[in-house]
Amino acid sequence: MIQQLKHDIFYLFYNRKYRLLILLTILLTAGLSLYTAVNANAGEDILIQVFGSFRQMYWIICAYLIADLLSTDYHSQTIKNIIPKLSSRNHYYLSKIIVATLLGIVILLIHVVMSWLTIGSLAAGIELNYFNISYFLCGAILSLLFYSSMLAFVIAISRKETVTIGVALGLILLQALMEGLDPVVSAHFPTMYVSTLHDLVSANLLTGIISISCYLIFTFLLFIGTIKIFSKQDLFT
């Protein structure tokens, strides 16, 4: 497990496209923060507005990086070399899901810090509040784990990079289109969960617990399904 984690982390560090995604996050955040600071009213919570503008792009970035991380060994045909080195195939996808989730959190934190620094330097005297940070991170972790597990299931079935990336981006766009139809339902979407988890729990604790439990259960079931499919596959033919 440790060996696979090291492999995936080194892949992130030495792959130029992930550095470009972080740079893109910084530039987008700076641009949105500048635009919002110039156009927002002084009494409004500017940081929440900035994240509201950034949120969809954040999920597109995460969808791409998760799908790419999960499918890279299929694309490069290196999975036949990696699997024999593992004591258990379970560790392969578990490592991918953990690393993808951590990278998604890092990108989110880069946005938070960058928007706070940019707005703080441009809007002196305005109190900068953000979401409740514990719910903010909890919502992000639950969503990223669920999304990573779901895409792991897709790549285990299809074994094709194009299918996985297409499903990843397609689901993000579908959720974006459906968000305005029913706010009660869309509050539980992965793309909305970072923003809405605190409100869900505050409004009704039982609803919040059920929602969190559903994420955990579905994530677990998707991971178990992925492992069962993956363990039966012949990767050496």
Side-chain angles (χ1 to χ4, degrees), residues 73 77-85 159 235-237:
D73 292 321
Q77 297 183 348
T78 56
I79 193 167
K80 297 178 182 180
N81 302 323
I82 293 173
I83 293 302
K85 299 177 182 178
R159 301 168 70 172
L235 304 174
F236 304 98
T237 57

Side-chain angles (χ1 to χ4, degrees), residues 157-172:
I157 293 174
S158 67
R159 301 168 70 172
K160 293 182 179 178
E161 180 186 33
T162 52
V163 172
T164 307
I165 293 177
V167 170
L169 297 177
L171 287 174
I172 295 299

Side-chain angles (χ1 to χ4, degrees), residues 191-223:
T191 52
M192 292 286 291
Y193 217 54
V194 174
S195 305
T196 59
L197 180 58
H198 179 258
D199 293 335
L200 288 172
V201 174
S202 299
N204 190 313
L205 181 59
L206 180 59
T207 299
I209 292 173
I210 292 173
S211 181
I212 292 172
S213 299
C214 287
Y215 266 90
L216 293 173
I217 291 169
F218 280 118
T219 298
F220 178 75
L221 291 176
L222 284 167
F223 178 72

